[in-house]
Every structure is written in C-alpha cells, then in structure tokens.
Amino acid sequence: MADTDRGAAGDASPPRAEVDESLVSRRALRDLAVVLALPAMWVDLEPDDIAAGLLDALFGMFRLSSGYVRFGDPAGGPSLEHWRPGGPGVPPELEMALAATPTREQGTVTTVVAPSTSSERARVTCISPAFPGEDGMVIIASAEPDFPTEFELHLLRAIAGQATISIHAARRLSVERAARATAEAALQRANVFLARIAEDLAAPLALLEKRAAQAHDLSAERLRPNATSHQGSDTAAGPTGPDLAGDNGQALAPSARLTRRETEVLGLLAQGLSNKEIAAVLWLSDRTIERHITGLYRKIGVERRTEATAFALRYGLIDANTPEG
C-alpha cells in the first residue's frame, strides 16, 4: 500500500483532459486579446483596408476554408467586398449563403453546404452586424464538424461588430476631411480676393490721406490770421465762426457768416473733392456734408459748385495755385 501511495504522489504529469483545457483557455485569452486590439490597429485606415483586415483576422483566429465580407456604402457608392481564397468570383460553398443572406433580426445563421465542385461538406456561418446606417455581411466556411462553437460565435460577433464600427468611423472621418479641404480651399480663395481688394484700395486711400493732409494745412493756415486779428477784441468770433473778409478788407454781410465747419467744407469743395471724399476727410456722414453744403450755398448766395469755388478763391479760402491732388 505504501508503494502505491508513493507512486501516486511522485507522478507529476497532469491528466490529458487538464492539458487540453489549459490549451483551450490560453487560446481563448489570445483570441480575446486580438479582438480588443483590432480597433487600435484599424485607426486611420481606409474603409476598404478595414474590410480586408477583417478577413485577415477571421482567418488568423479560426480554421476556415473560405470567407467573404461585404459592407454597403450608405452614400450609394460601390460596396466593399473581399473573399478568400482569391479568384474571379466568390468561392462555390459561399454562393448558396449569398443567395439566402440572413436579416439582422435572424442574427447569426449556420448551415451545412455540400458544393457540387467538391465532395467535402462545409459548415457556413452568416452574420449581419446590427449597426445603424451600415449594411454589412460576413460569411465564413469551415470543414470542422463542430464549427462554430459557442465561444467562436461570440468572437465572430465581436470581430464583425468592431469592423462595422471602425468602417463607419472611417467613412465619417473621410467626409469630414473632404469638407475641411473644401472649406480651406474656399478660405484661400477669399483671402486672395481680399488681398486684391486691398491692393486696389491702396491708391485711393493714399489719395485720401494726401487730401486730408492738405485740408488740415489749409484750415490751419486760414484760421491763423483770423485769430491774430481778433486778439484782445471783445467781438471775437462766437459759435457762428469768423467773418469772411473780401479783397477790400470789408466783412461780408451777416447772411454770409459761415461756421468753422462750413468753412472747412467750402475749402475742400473748392479743391475739387466730391461729397464722399469730403465726408471721409472730415470723418462725417454724406448726409451731414450735404447739409453743410446746402447751408453755405444759401449763406454765400450761390447755387453750384463752380460758383462756390469762385467765392472761395475771391475771399482767400483757397489759393488759386493750390494743386488738387
């Protein structure tokens, strides 16, 4: 009895069933790790590459004789199709499955197929991943009599679902990249257009700056003698502005008393500036300039710009030799 016990204790070899179970467990963990790693492997890939990668993963994890994947294009473009083994058409054992594709409500369907071109029977499994907006189908065939096991079915559903989600995300990113490229092209065209406008406005803006400088110098020059002649006088110009003196030194009639702003407008008008240009120089609106012109016309008794220009020359508001630009 003692010898029998020692023999049992010294035998360290595990039973055959335990060895097989351990191997299956390690293989299952390996397959789960592959499933979890697939989304990271498919990042930044095109949809067609992901469909081809799905078929590679299926053949790497299962003992398959043939396989087929197809994903329709929601935008109406051609479907993504791949099959193995390669050839001009889908493998014969999968043709019958293609003719009877299961609906999403049916889930996964497994049938036994005996192709006319072969004496071997194959177990064919079809699955349509349920994902909104995506029309996918996966068909795989194996000669294994117990294919697919319950665990293999779980893996198959997980891999097909991962591929469907990755293809959907890749399509969305492709649309966003195309929209971004279109927006960037439109922005570039707008920038070119604005640059041309700025270039076209450079000369008019330079002219306005020149006219503004001339108007400032003119106003300073014309107002300086008036201020000197009225120093210490109790009759200095009030809110209505200075009197305009004629060539003989006599003041104009009270009706011809112009405000300082009207004097500036008259001086710029006499230099040939348009109403818009005068408004730009004085930082006033076009309507305000029109009111000033109407008022000074009435005060000096003229009706047109030429008469106002002559008035300005006569009373020294502008030098006849002053250039107009």
Side-chain angles (χ1 to χ4, degrees), residues 205-323:
L205 288 175
L207 177 60
L208 285 177
E209 292 178 358
K210 182 178 180 181
R211 293 290 178 86
Q214 291 176 348
H216 180 272
D217 295 341
L218 177 63
S219 299
E221 182 179 353
R222 298 308 179 192
L223 292 176
R224 193 178 302 111
N226 292 335
T228 304
S229 61
H230 287 80
Q231 276 185 339
S233 174
D234 293 336
T235 60
T240 57
D243 288 340
L244 298 179
D247 294 337
N248 54 7
Q250 296 180 350
L252 297 177
S255 61
R257 290 170 59 88
L258 301 179
T259 65
R260 178 168 299 178
R261 182 64 77 186
E262 288 172 341
T263 303
E264 294 175 347
V265 172
L266 179 58
L268 295 173
L269 181 149
Q271 293 184 67
L273 272 68
S274 65
N275 289 7
K276 287 185 175 295
E277 292 175 330
I278 296 174
V281 171
L282 299 180
W283 294 89
L284 299 173
S285 67
D286 295 351
R287 187 178 297 275
T288 301
I289 295 301
E290 291 176 0
R291 287 201 302 268
H292 284 315
I293 292 176
T294 301
L296 68 89
Y297 275 12
R298 184 177 63 254
K299 290 181 180 181
I300 65 178
V302 300
E303 297 181 353
R304 54 183 59 88
R305 301 175 80 91
T306 55
E307 296 176 349
T309 301
F311 180 92
L313 291 171
R314 183 183 314 120
Y315 290 100
L317 293 181
I318 184 174
D319 193 342
N321 296 323
T322 301

Side-chain angles (χ1 to χ4, degrees), residues 38 41-57 69 71 79-82 84 162-164 166-167 170-171 177:
L38 287 177
M41 295 172 58
W42 289 335
V43 170
D44 294 333
L45 292 184
E46 295 296 326
D48 189 66
D49 296 330
I50 297 174
L54 168 61
L55 203 56
D56 293 338
V69 296
F71 291 91
S79 299
L80 306 176
E81 286 186 294
H82 291 274
R84 284 188 183 181
Q162 295 280 27
T164 304
S166 297
I167 289 175
R171 283 171 170 164
R177 282 195 294 266

